[in-house]
Amino acid sequence: MAGLVIHLQNILRLVVKELRSIRADPVMLLLVVYAFSFAVYTVATGVKLEARDLTIGIVDEDRSEFSRTLLGAFGPPLFKISKRIAPGEIDSEMDSGRLVFVLEVPPNFQADLQAGRQTSLQLNIDATAMTQAGNGAVYIQQIVAQEIANLQAGRETTTALPINLVVRARFNPNLDSGWFSSVMQVLNNVTLLTIILTGAALIREREQGTVEHLLVMPVTPVEIMLAKMLANTLVILVAAVASLVLVVEGALGVPIAGSLPLFVLGTAIYAFTVAALGILLGTLATTMGQFGLLAIPVFVVTQLLSGATTPMESMPVWLQWTMRTLSPTPHFVAFSQGVLYRGAGLDVVWPEIAKIAAICAAYFAFALARFRKVIFT
């Protein structure tokens, strides 16, 4: 028992030392503050997945009442520019980027529709902006279908349907991508900055030679490693919670549906896991530059294949299995979405927490073995 108390006291003192080192590094502190405040806000408000302010040109070779009505249907706020253009202007307008969509209405289109003859419209799309092009094409198809239905019905109403389809979007009723991107940005920052802070703390001591001071002190490798991981996990945890409360919920107005203490618990376990990964990368690199070159591809791969950017279900089965086995990030994303978006409780998300903890144990054991070999031999 006395030995355990001594170990805990050593860890506490080392944690305080690490926190003072972080406080003495204003650049790193500024990075943490920026990443969890301004960066989260700008990503949520500036990076929109919805199609807005689209530009469309209509090549009207029909010159009918329907084509004139169709031009009027493409108005704000969805479309900021809708105009008639000549057939010879299609290439120049799209090549210059002034128009993203061009809809060609062939001659006698309205007459063919009313006579029941087969006809077609051609929609040209600038697909260099894939999200805008894909979503915009769906909106245009819906608008055209609505106008055709109105024409065939002979009035400005839709044809009566035998059912009443009521659509309710749960957890994000306005389908605002900012609700999604703001929370995902916080999760991404937890991963990135925990790796950077923990690995940089180790590399900095190795470069400055202060790690030798620890070697002559009555502390063990486990105590040193735990102190670095706990101190940086604590800093990231405080920053992430403050970002959720002040930026996401306060400034952006995104409701947090679930329990904040439960999110803190899961995030603490995840950040501790990623801190072990930061220590591991720090033992593989000898300089800060090498550490950065190692950390960047690790972060990019874990984030792109975590389910935060694209759905896990869209990936090959073998890749899904690999990521869920080797990386804690997919489990953390699933846990966070369940708690923050859907208000899930511990009875729902405990499997994800358990998986993160299991991966944490493996990461910690591997990182500790490397830490002992590189630092203490």
Side-chain angles (χ1 to χ4, degrees), residues 333-354:
V333 169
F335 159 80
S336 301
Q337 291 178 347
V339 173
L340 299 178
Y341 291 145
R342 298 186 286 272
L346 182 61
D347 57 326
V348 176
V349 298
W350 73 264
E352 303 299 336
I353 296 178

Side-chain angles (χ1 to χ4, degrees), residues 33-100:
V33 172
Y34 165 80
F36 283 102
S37 57
F38 188 73
V40 173
Y41 186 85
T42 52
V43 167
T45 56
V47 181
K48 291 293 185 180
L49 300 179
E50 302 93 349
R52 294 181 179 176
D53 295 332
L54 302 176
T55 57
I56 185 170
I58 296 182
V59 178
D60 186 6
E61 297 182 297
D62 189 24
R63 299 289 177 176
S64 63
E65 180 183 355
F66 171 79
S67 61
R68 291 190 293 272
T69 303
L70 190 61
L71 178 62
F74 298 109
L78 187 57
F79 293 88
K80 69 175 180 180
I81 296 178
S82 57
K83 62 180 182 180
R84 281 195 180 94
I85 62 172
E89 296 177 305
I90 295 177
D91 290 340
S92 61
E93 291 287 331
M94 296 193 74
D95 290 345
S96 64
R98 289 189 293 269
L99 295 177
V100 177

